[in-house]
Amino acid sequence: MTAGPAPRGDRIRSGLRGPWPVFLGRQLGRFAASMVVLATAAFGMVHAIPGDPVRNALGLNAQPAVVAATRRTLGLDDPLWTQYARFLRGLVTWDMGDSLISHVPVAQVMTRLIPATVGLAAAAFVLAVVVAIPLGLLAGIATRDGRSRGTHVAFTSVTGVFSVVPDFVLGVGLVFVFSVTFKVLPVAGQSGPESYVLPVIALAAGPAALLARVVRVEAQRVLAEDYLRTARSKRLPARLVYLRHALPNLLTAALTISGLALSSLLAGTVLVESVFAWPGVGNQLVRSVLSKDFPVVEAMAVFFGGSVLLINLAVDVLIAVVDPRSVIKET
Amino acid sequence: MRRSTSGRAAVLRTPLGISTLVLLVAVVGVAVVAPLVLGSRAETIDVAAMDQGMSAQHLFGTDPLGRDLLARTLVATRLSVVLAVITTVVAAVVGVLAGALPFVLGRRLGRLLVATINLSVAFPSLLLALFLAMIFGVGAQGAVLTLALAMAPGFARLTHSTAAAVAGSDYIAAARLLRVGRARIVLRHILPNIAEPLVVNATTTVGTALLSLSGLSYLGFGVQAPDYDWGRLLSDGLGSIYTTPAAGLLPCAAIVVAGLTFILAGEVATQVVSGRSRRRGTARRVVTAPVAPVAEDTGPAGDVVLRVEDLTVTFPDRGTRPVRGVSFEVRAGEVVGVVGESGSGKSLTAAAVGALVPHPGVVEATRLDLAGRDVRRLGRAERDRVLGTSLATVFQDPMSALNPAVRVGLQLAEVSRVHQGLSRRAAAARAVDRLAAVDIPSPERRAREYPGTFSGGMRQRAMIGMSLMAEPSLIIADEPTTALDVTVQQGVLALLRDVVRQRNAALLFISHDIAVVSRIASRVLVMYAGQIIEELPVSALVDDAAHPYTRALVASIPDMGMDRRLPLATIDGRPPEPDRLPVGCSFAPRCPLADVGCAEQAPPLVAIGENRRVACWKPPSDVGGPRSTAGEGGRG
Ligand code: SF4
């Protein structure tokens, strides 16, 4: 492990002369294009709402005058392309109008809610990765070449169940055990660090189980490779065999799955925040969609979608750093 | 395409298959029966029995309106499962259409659609469904529709990638040539071929749809009162988790059981389709073929680098013994070739010397001395040091034997770092020095590169350089040139020869190719069916071999000069399977000289001169000089 970070950095530097600018340019271009598509979809979503979105939101017995006034302030009577341009400009300048319900600026709502959600998702992601990669690697080592059938069955059963149990159900179970029965952790809300424990576990368990399974399978594959036999023939200590020779070769797969896990974890925040009454974007999203508060929903669609795109971009770039061959392949 | 039905049925008899089937029958059974039997009990409002705990009458208590919680949970099965199935069907239909459309549409539109599919697959379907709810509204209908649309990209991508593979095949090309309409190609040729993966995927999707729908209902997007599914029950019950926890926990349990059932069913379906069931290995009897007694070892013992006596390698799981009583020694500065067909035990013999026999192989020997020390009696650390410094191995395929993720220089240097205690800098310098020694141009630069930039021949040179890091007394080269083309082979052979000469190391050179062995070795061990059947100096190989198998090997190589005394040009038949060894001479079924005695008793390996041994009842009487042991007397 000691020599790990140094060569990576080196690799990027030496690579900058090569295919890296093209690769990065293409990745960023793809990201920007996807963002535009995403913003357009969010905009289109509001305009695809059957009937009048304002009447929809304010209710059937809203005063026609109020509806008309709201339509005017939102600029819904302008030509479509003017509205579209205004929407895009609003996203860039972080000025997305006011909520229909609370009349608070959408930007202010988002600024208040995003840190809580990102904190939750980041903590859960770190926990999932920190647990899953060593666990999967150890399980892979223990079950290599068909060794230890018992460990294999136990590992696949436990991780299998955890990867299926949905996060909100696990959250309810955790609340029942730790908050209701043993009363050691808070039921809901964001307060001190202890309030993070249950929602983070509920969010992390599924992705961690999935990631651990993939890492184990990859570890088994890598451990059977010829170059691992070479490493063993050199009589290196186990630490070097596994960390220097095996681990880097399963990182690509682990990274890909981590990216997927992070995306699904972000979606999971919606449900988990709802179970734990967490003051985040997910919880608000549910309320805003139910009350048809479309300026807020639009912004949230861009936030969630943009996060997913950003994660995918980060994974692609990280994979290229770990395995420079993919850069050459792409360009 | 069709696989045997017995193979498919076998999957259903595994523990996984049986339990999945039981669960599936239970879930579907409850979905059908519970509303009929428990319907009224689940919906009768009983103010007298509000919010009760567990009792004989209400097993898991009641809700705030006095309705039985267990009954409600069971009755909700139908709606939950039915909605999940409808969602899956809609998602599959929409997805398949969208996935097949690019083949029907023109190129440009098709590409746009594929890009859209690929983009939307990246988004978690629950998120998509939440946003689509803005358009389609809340309620069971809206939830099913939105979730189906959100899950459709998954089906679309599966359809598109499977269809793309099918579309590339010959018969589609033929259909195109015949100007069969594009829509017709999709309907007649592509769809039937992707049916299997789609069904498998759909089974799993029912499970995930059930979980997601529960989530949507829980959030208030799905089923609305007075209807109820599990998600709705959960959202109603969660508020009273302190007073009647069962109100929240029962639907949770139901969601998990049902979700798990359908996802397991998807797993089983995958196994059925791929026709692969995990068959239990039937324990077979360990074959204990008689091991021929070893003749007295009379070689000079001064500078023996490797001494192996009565080495066996057994695989108890398969009941085979691919190496059976092998004895030989290698002296410093000597190149010993080991020849044999694949499966003769030559590579496993080498692996046993290097303690690299794959799990669960068992190595036994009366002696296994490397550089004068019995490696099996050393402690773990000391054994690793002795094996790491005295022995080096060059493997067959240089393309896979070097780690693609580690710099070549580091792969060499780590040997000296670990076993010789060199500093990082000193080890790196030594690695460069060794790369230079094996004629790798600009070794400083090459040491910093990854193996991916090396050609096959250069990688094998690097492997040889690696073997020289610790000044080993023995190098084992296991088919080192087999994976290389002929011109590169020559260079690698020359390099190995030089290395042995310059460093006074011994080389154990393993190959199936007797011609290659004869070019480098001074002494040859011929292996057959896990035993050494002849040992002879390379000078005797061409016209003085004693064993019919060795003669046949030599005769089958055109450029080695035919031995015309025996009418053998090719060797008919195949070596015996390791679990079906003959009782007598293992070569008897293929041997032109075999008689009844050969088939009854195995010939011992006996010395027939200086450095010469043979295991055959009928070696020609004119080889090797006078017979030293009574070979004839051994037969009863
Ligand atoms: S012992 Fe008999 S069967 Fe075996 S090689 Fe010699 S002659 Fe052939």
Side-chain angles (χ1 to χ4, degrees), chain B residues 448-507:
Chain B
R448 268 180 274 120
E449 288 180 1
Y450 292 85
T453 61
F454 282 48
S455 70
M458 261 172 48
R459 289 192 205 190
Q460 199 59 304
R461 286 173 184 279
M463 280 296 288
I464 295 170
M466 186 190 290
S467 74
L468 302 178
M469 286 301 288
E471 304 286 357
S473 34
L474 175 66
I475 299 172
I476 297 178
D478 188 356
E479 304 261 11
T481 59
T482 309
L484 305 174
D485 58 47
V486 184
T487 45
V488 183
Q489 267 187 23
Q490 306 291 350
V492 169
L493 282 182
L495 176 63
L496 279 170
R497 220 179 282 129
D498 289 350
V499 161
V500 175
R501 199 172 304 139
Q502 286 163 13
R503 297 171 197 267
N504 201 33
L507 175 64

Side-chain angles (χ1 to χ4, degrees), chain B residues 106-359:
Chain B
R107 177 159 299 170
R108 192 148 318 142
L109 265 179
R111 232 186 244 163
L112 190 70
L113 190 58
V114 173
T116 315
I117 291 169
N118 285 342
L119 184 64
S120 39
V121 166
F123 296 97
S125 52
L126 191 86
L127 266 184
L128 276 179
L130 279 182
F131 288 110
L132 287 175
M134 281 295 279
I135 303 171
F136 295 98
V138 295
Q141 223 176 356
V144 166
L145 204 59
T146 51
L147 193 62
L149 285 181
M151 291 180 121
F155 280 101
R157 180 136 89 171
L158 179 71
T159 306
H160 182 257
S161 53
T162 321
V166 177
S169 59
D170 288 344
Y171 60 90
I172 300 288
R176 284 239 168 87
L177 270 182
L178 294 172
R179 304 234 169 268
V180 178
R182 282 193 277 201
R184 229 177 120 84
I185 292 180
V186 168
L187 279 180
R188 293 286 293 277
H189 298 280
I190 294 185
L191 283 185
N193 271 298
I194 60 178
E196 269 190 0
L198 274 176
V199 168
V200 169
N201 196 39
T203 317
T204 315
T205 306
V206 174
T208 43
L210 194 137
L211 300 178
S212 300
L213 275 174
S214 305
L216 284 175
S217 282
Y218 162 74
L219 291 175
F221 285 74
V223 175
Q224 305 289 326
D227 293 335
Y228 52 97
D229 67 345
W230 290 323
R232 184 84 228 166
L233 285 181
L234 174 59
S235 102
D236 291 344
L238 198 55
S240 57
I241 194 156
Y242 277 100
T243 50
T244 40
L249 296 181
L250 271 182
C252 276
I255 292 169
V256 169
V257 170
L260 207 57
T261 302
F262 285 104
I263 286 165
L264 280 180
E267 182 101 336
V268 173
T270 313
Q271 291 187 6
V272 170
V273 165
S274 63
R276 155 182 65 89
S277 71
R278 206 171 285 139
R279 253 180 293 143
R280 281 285 145 96
T282 40
R284 255 173 282 158
R285 193 172 52 89
V286 173
V287 182
T288 43
V291 174
V294 185
E296 188 65 17
D297 198 336
T298 49
D303 46 357
V304 173
V305 171
L306 173 68
R307 169 170 287 156
V308 176
E309 263 175 37
D310 202 10
L311 172 77
T312 62
V313 178
T314 315
F315 284 89
D317 57 329
R318 278 172 264 165
T320 58
R321 180 166 288 165
V323 177
R324 306 179 290 146
V326 165
S327 304
F328 63 94
E329 55 183 45
V330 181
R331 295 172 211 108
E334 194 185 23
V335 178
V336 175
V338 182
V339 189
E341 290 162 280
S342 69
S344 62
K346 56 189 193 308
S347 290
L348 267 179
T349 301
V353 171
L356 288 172
V357 170
H359 178 85

Side-chain angles (χ1 to χ4, degrees), chain A residues 52-132:
Chain A
D52 179 354
V54 174
R55 177 160 289 285
N56 226 333
L58 298 185
L60 286 176
N61 32 15
Q63 297 285 326
V66 178
V67 172
T70 314
R71 280 191 71 89
R72 215 171 311 116
T73 38
L74 288 170
L76 285 179
D77 299 321
D78 296 343
L80 209 54
W81 64 269
T82 322
Q83 293 185 45
Y84 182 56
R86 190 167 44 229
F87 173 66
L88 289 187
R89 194 173 339 110
L91 284 179
V92 175
T93 57
W94 201 240
D95 171 19
M96 294 156 284
D98 295 346
S99 156
L100 282 184
I101 309 297
S102 64
H103 305 290
V104 177
V106 174
Q108 197 182 316
V109 174
M110 297 301 285
T111 317
R112 183 165 47 82
L113 298 178
I114 286 176
T117 296
V118 168
L120 196 59
F125 179 67
V126 170
L127 178 69
V129 169
V130 164
V131 169

Side-chain angles (χ1 to χ4, degrees), chain A residues 2-3 6-8 10-11 34 37-38 44-46 48-50 56 144-149 152 160-161 164-166 168-169 172-173 175-176 179-180 183 187 213 225-237 240 244-246 248-249 260 263-264 266-268 270-271 274-276 285-290 292-294 297-298 300-302 304-306 308-309 312 324-325, chain B residues 119 121-127 130-138 211-212 214-216 218-221 224 231 234 238 241-242 245-246 248-249 251-253 255-256 259-260 263 267 278 280 351 354-356 358-360 380 383-389 391-393 395-397 399-407 410-412 414-415 417-419 424 448 450 452 463 466 478:
Chain A
T2 42
R8 297 266 150 69
D10 229 41
R11 227 181 295 178
S34 306
V37 172
L38 173 73
M45 172 184 76
V46 169
I49 296 174
N56 226 333
R144 67 189 192 279
D145 316 320
R147 266 172 250 237
S148 184
R149 185 107 201 107
H152 184 176
V161 168
V164 167
V165 173
F168 66 102
V169 169
V172 172
V175 165
F176 176 68
S179 308
V180 176
K183 301 190 169 53
V187 175
R213 285 169 79 93
E225 293 278 359
D226 282 354
Y227 52 77
L228 255 285
R229 184 183 56 181
T230 308
R232 275 189 220 107
S233 82
K234 288 190 272 185
R235 299 284 143 193
L236 303 177
L240 284 185
R244 180 185 287 166
H245 286 275
N249 286 295
L260 286 178
S263 296
S264 73
L266 206 64
V270 176
L271 282 155
S274 175
V275 170
F276 290 94
L285 172 68
V286 174
R287 269 178 278 150
S288 299
V289 172
L290 285 177
K292 307 224 156 44
D293 188 353
F294 65 85
V297 176
E298 264 178 336
M300 288 185 168
V302 175
F304 278 110
V308 169
L309 292 176
N312 288 353
R325 278 168 298 178
Chain B
L119 184 64
V121 166
F123 296 97
S125 52
L126 191 86
L127 266 184
L130 279 182
F131 288 110
L132 287 175
M134 281 295 279
I135 303 171
F136 295 98
V138 295
L211 300 178
S212 300
S214 305
L216 284 175
Y218 162 74
L219 291 175
F221 285 74
Q224 305 289 326
L234 174 59
L238 198 55
I241 194 156
Y242 277 100
L249 296 181
C252 276
I255 292 169
V256 169
L260 207 57
I263 286 165
E267 182 101 336
R278 206 171 285 139
R280 281 285 145 96
L356 288 172
H359 178 85
R380 208 194 146 82
R383 190 192 67 166
D384 280 352
R385 207 188 57 75
V386 169
L387 284 175
T389 52
L391 174 70
T393 310
F395 293 104
Q396 172 171 0
D397 189 355
M399 302 310 265
S400 58
L402 285 171
N403 194 329
V406 181
R407 283 156 202 279
L410 180 59
Q411 296 192 50
L412 267 69
E414 62 185 358
V415 177
R417 285 274 288 156
V418 168
H419 296 299
R424 179 175 303 187
R448 268 180 274 120
Y450 292 85
M463 280 296 288
M466 186 190 290
D478 188 356

Side-chain angles (χ1 to χ4, degrees), chain B residues 409 413 422-436 444 469:
Chain B
L422 259 56
S423 71
R424 179 175 303 187
R425 180 166 305 200
R430 192 181 175 87
V432 171
D433 174 69
R434 291 304 186 265
L435 286 177
E444 294 90 357
M469 286 301 288

